[in-house]
Amino acid sequence: MTRTTPLNTIDLRVGGGLPLVLLHGFPLDLRMWAPCAAALPPSIRAIGVDLPGAGHSDLDGARPSLENSAERVHDTLRELGVGNAIIVGLSMGGYVALALADLYPGFVAGLGLVDTKSVADTDEARANRRRIASAVEETQTVDAVLGMPAALLSDTSAVERRHLFPVLESWIHSQSPAGIAWMQRAMAARPDRTAVLEKYDAPVAVVVGAQDKLAPRAEAEHMAAAARMAGGNVTLTEVPDVGHMAPVEDPETVALALADLHRRVRFR
Ligand code: MLT
């Protein structure tokens, strides 16, 4: 019996055994993981999840909080018969992955932290999120975040992967203003979860785009160092030429890191 309304999920890769659960970044939805899921070994099951307020998942009347997002991911997966899973999150998805490891440590068999960070927002970042939340509510449009692809993609992608710009813009355009505002407020309220990693002793894969401007390598090193304190099996992969959207910009390299994480969890 779950207490929350199930989120929208899709098996992006049909396989057996312990699944990889793929949590998307802001302001996107599960579609961003499709190319990376397609590059995984065929035996691995990969479940994409639309987080609350994104894609085809509703807000369920909840107050903005990533703990609520984590609870709904957990309940949704339990409803699907998933007893435990490797949780992989990009940026905002990584914040939710850490909240899951905090709230349901036994459920999270391994953690993939991609272009993300474990620290909380600065006051300035919080104020900026509140400004964006108010702007999307006032205008009832997503205009305030439509320019984000320039920050999400690398300078190299701006030259060599220009086709990704309209793809990201169309994904952002299809999101709801209410969802955008909710997610901004939820992220603004999140605590520093570095201490969760310091206690988390299952395998961890930290992945960062070499040109990530939003969650740069120093954040990845901070998370890897914290996870190593727990004595678990931790890798840090830097993906060359990509920015904050490593699984979209270079799906094959991220898939290799996630397949390795899956193997490390299975043979733990
Ligand atoms: C994301 O890609 O999910 C965002 O950059 C997260 C954030 O705004 O902190």
Side-chain angles (χ1 to χ4, degrees):
M1 262 292 272
T2 61
R3 288 161 295 145
T4 56
T5 311
L7 298 168
N8 180 50
T9 65
I10 294 181
D11 269 25
L12 293 170
R13 178 112 224 169
V14 180
L18 187 69
L20 284 178
V21 173
L22 304 174
L23 306 179
H24 59 83
F26 171 89
L28 306 170
D29 58 42
L30 62 74
R31 284 174 290 181
M32 62 141 284
W33 278 109
C36 185
L40 287 167
S43 58
I44 296 181
R45 180 182 182 194
I47 305 173
V49 179
D50 279 339
L51 291 168
H56 295 285
S57 289
D58 64 21
L59 287 170
D60 205 17
R63 286 187 29 250
S65 87
L66 295 185
E67 291 74 22
N68 171 263
S69 302
E71 184 185 5
R72 290 188 69 194
V73 171
H74 171 263
D75 289 359
T76 299
L77 292 168
R78 293 307 301 260
E79 186 97 331
L80 290 175
V82 173
N84 64 351
I86 300 172
I87 307 290
V88 179
L90 177 119
S91 198
M92 177 181 73
Y95 310 156
V96 176
L98 286 171
L100 270 157
D102 194 5
L103 299 175
Y104 308 100
F107 185 76
V108 182
L111 262 180
L113 300 167
V114 184
D115 293 319
T116 191
K117 49 190 158 195
S118 58
V119 295
D121 278 350
T122 60
D123 289 345
E124 191 189 346
R126 266 189 214 112
N128 192 42
R129 291 194 195 283
R130 293 195 179 111
R131 253 195 313 277
I132 292 171
S134 301
V136 293
E137 282 171 345
E138 270 162 34
T139 62
Q140 283 302 301
T141 71
V142 299
D143 290 356
V145 289
L146 268 185
M148 275 189 74
L152 298 176
L153 296 167
S154 67
D155 294 345
T156 305
S157 292
V159 177
E160 294 176 6
R161 305 180 188 98
R162 290 231 37 97
H163 64 283
L164 292 178
F165 281 79
V167 173
L168 257 63
E169 278 155 18
S170 76
W171 290 344
I172 295 172
H173 211 263
S174 66
Q175 305 305 319
S176 79
I180 297 283
W182 191 95
M183 286 181 268
Q184 282 290 20
R185 295 202 170 98
M187 286 192 280
R190 78 186 192 285
D192 186 325
R193 285 205 157 90
T194 307
V196 174
L197 282 171
E198 289 170 0
K199 288 182 302 201
Y200 186 76
D201 63 0
V204 176
V206 179
V207 179
V208 61
Q211 298 178 34
D212 189 339
K213 300 163 215 155
L214 303 179
R217 185 176 170 111
E219 301 291 356
E221 282 173 358
H222 179 69
M223 292 189 294
R228 285 190 184 114
M229 284 173 68
N233 186 329
V234 181
T235 59
L236 197 171
T237 304
E238 181 178 288
V239 187
D241 299 327
V242 310
H244 193 59
M245 288 284 110
V248 178
E249 297 172 276
D250 186 352
E252 290 78 15
T253 302
V254 178
L256 278 177
L258 298 183
D260 175 68
L261 172 65
H262 195 271
R263 185 190 53 73
R264 285 186 285 129
V265 172
R266 271 184 302 131
F267 295 110
R268 194 180 168 207

